Amino acid sequence: MQVDLLAGTVYNPAAMPAPVPTILVFDSGLGGLTVFSEVLRARPDARFVYAADDAGFPYGRLSEEAVVARVQTVMERLIGLYDPQLVVVACNTASTVVLPHLRARFPVPFVGTVPAIKPAALASRTGHVTVLATPATVARDYTRDLVETYAGHCKVNLVGSRRLAGFAEAEMAGTPVSDEELLAELQPCFIAGESGRTDVVALSCTHYPLLLSRFRTLAPWPVTWIDPAPAIARRVVHLMGEPVPGHEGDDDEAIAVFTAGTGLSAPMRTALQDRGLPQVTIEAMPLMTF
Ligand code: DGL
């Protein structure tokens, strides 16, 4: 207990409400919204900043070194501006290379998003599992190590799609691509052989769950689709605790930050609003050539 002599007021810190944390959710684009929605559901009391490095999108085409440098630069700016108590890197392409660098450089805790290979292997009955990701993510040592460690007993089909993240952005911008174009990217996920056929697809780019209802319709046969977002939200609660009682979520406080903002169409703004992000701001950070 402390006494404020000037005001003559008695404060009891135990009775003071716990502070409401600020959580920064970061991706190269809108894919991280699939993670944001789950984290928002888990901690509706928190203040949220959703940051899309759309000036750097897509990260899937950048070298490892370029992704590491870019994410650190953008993170420096965002942490300086918003002072979050936790950062969710809602991007597999970034998380599979940049997390150790971020943890070494910034004191704030980081929660990453990496291919859900362990749950995929556990969910498969046929032992035929597909990991659908960006070409960069499927090429990462990190991903290959996960396969070796957790799915050694499975046949793992690594599919790197160059176009799907862009298709998901187009879907959000109100300009969905055709079924034919989508199916061309999806088809390599489905393998039928003598020993069985694919029964699990791990969605290992956060953009892909934005297209899930279309994937379900177009899939040549039903499979279990694994979206890591609920597991990430559980990890956030594990680190930050349950919602602070008595704090109402205030949607108006949630901000979406873009580093370019050039693709912000009216349907996209509506989609952001519908997902709890009514405020949009541009923090211009052009991508330098590496
Ligand atoms: N959303 C990102 C991921 O989870 C990828 C999109 C991109 O290529 O930037 O991997």
Side-chain angles (χ1 to χ4, degrees), residues 87-169:
V87 178
V88 179
V89 181
C91 175
N92 294 261
T93 311
S95 295
T96 45
V97 281
V98 81
L99 288 173
H101 300 272
L102 293 175
R103 288 179 177 137
R105 181 156 167 185
F106 304 102
V108 60
F110 288 89
V111 174
T113 309
V114 298
I117 288 166
K118 186 180 179 184
L122 287 171
S124 177
R125 286 172 184 276
T126 64
H128 291 260
V129 167
T130 289
V131 177
L132 179 60
T134 63
T137 297
V138 300
R140 302 271 195 251
D141 288 344
Y142 192 100
T143 305
R144 310 261 160 171
D145 288 348
L146 287 177
V147 171
E148 228 171 83
T149 309
Y150 297 112
H153 58 292
C154 292
K155 282 205 158 46
V156 179
N157 173 27
L158 295 171
V159 178
S161 167
R162 273 189 294 114
R163 306 181 74 198
L164 277 179
F167 289 173
E169 294 274 328

Side-chain angles (χ1 to χ4, degrees), residues 27-32 34 57 90 164-166 168-169 205-211:
D27 183 30
S28 56
L30 298 177
T34 60
F57 179 85
L164 277 179
E169 294 274 328
C205 166
T206 53
H207 278 73
Y208 301 169
L210 294 172
L211 296 165

Side-chain angles (χ1 to χ4, degrees), residues 57 74-75 138 140 180 193 196 223-225 256 265:
F57 179 85
V74 176
M75 203 56 76
V138 300
R140 302 271 195 251
E180 290 68 31
V223 292
T224 301
W225 303 91
S265 60

Side-chain angles (χ1 to χ4, degrees), residues 53-283:
D53 182 19
D54 58 333
F57 179 85
Y59 282 177
R61 80 196 141 105
L62 302 179
S63 69
E64 283 194 20
E65 297 70 31
V67 172
V68 168
R70 176 67 183 174
V71 174
Q72 288 188 90
T73 304
V74 176
M75 203 56 76
E76 176 103 55
R77 174 88 69 97
L78 294 170
I79 288 175
L81 281 170
Y82 298 105
D83 190 23
Q85 276 69 63
L86 182 133
V87 178
V88 179
V89 181
C91 175
N92 294 261
T93 311
S95 295
T96 45
V97 281
V98 81
L99 288 173
H101 300 272
L102 293 175
R103 288 179 177 137
R105 181 156 167 185
F106 304 102
V108 60
F110 288 89
V111 174
T113 309
V114 298
I117 288 166
K118 186 180 179 184
L122 287 171
S124 177
R125 286 172 184 276
T126 64
H128 291 260
V129 167
T130 289
V131 177
L132 179 60
T134 63
T137 297
V138 300
R140 302 271 195 251
D141 288 344
Y142 192 100
T143 305
R144 310 261 160 171
D145 288 348
L146 287 177
V147 171
E148 228 171 83
T149 309
Y150 297 112
H153 58 292
C154 292
K155 282 205 158 46
V156 179
N157 173 27
L158 295 171
V159 178
S161 167
R162 273 189 294 114
R163 306 181 74 198
L164 277 179
F167 289 173
E169 294 274 328
E171 188 92 6
M172 294 291 281
T175 52
V177 299
S178 69
D179 284 352
E180 290 68 31
E181 282 177 289
L182 212 51
L183 189 56
E185 299 301 301
L186 209 53
Q187 198 71 56
C189 294
F190 291 83
I191 294 180
E194 277 177 14
S195 57
R197 61 185 194 179
T198 309
D199 67 346
V200 176
V201 178
L203 298 171
S204 302
C205 166
T206 53
H207 278 73
Y208 301 169
L210 294 172
L211 296 165
L212 185 54
S213 62
R214 297 192 66 198
F215 286 173
R216 284 207 168 101
T217 309
L218 293 170
W221 58 80
V223 292
T224 301
W225 303 91
I226 298 202
D227 174 359
I232 292 158
R234 286 195 295 277
R235 179 78 189 137
V236 169
V237 170
H238 178 77
L239 290 174
M240 303 216 75
E242 297 291 336
V244 177
H247 285 258
E248 297 300 312
D250 186 354
D251 275 3
D252 289 349
E253 284 188 21
I255 309 172
V257 185
F258 289 79
T259 56
T262 42
L264 278 169
S265 60
M268 202 179 269
R269 282 180 184 268
T270 307
L272 290 169
Q273 182 137 18
D274 291 349
R275 285 169 178 267
L277 291 162
Q279 284 189 61
V280 174
T281 178
I282 312 289
E283 194 59 44

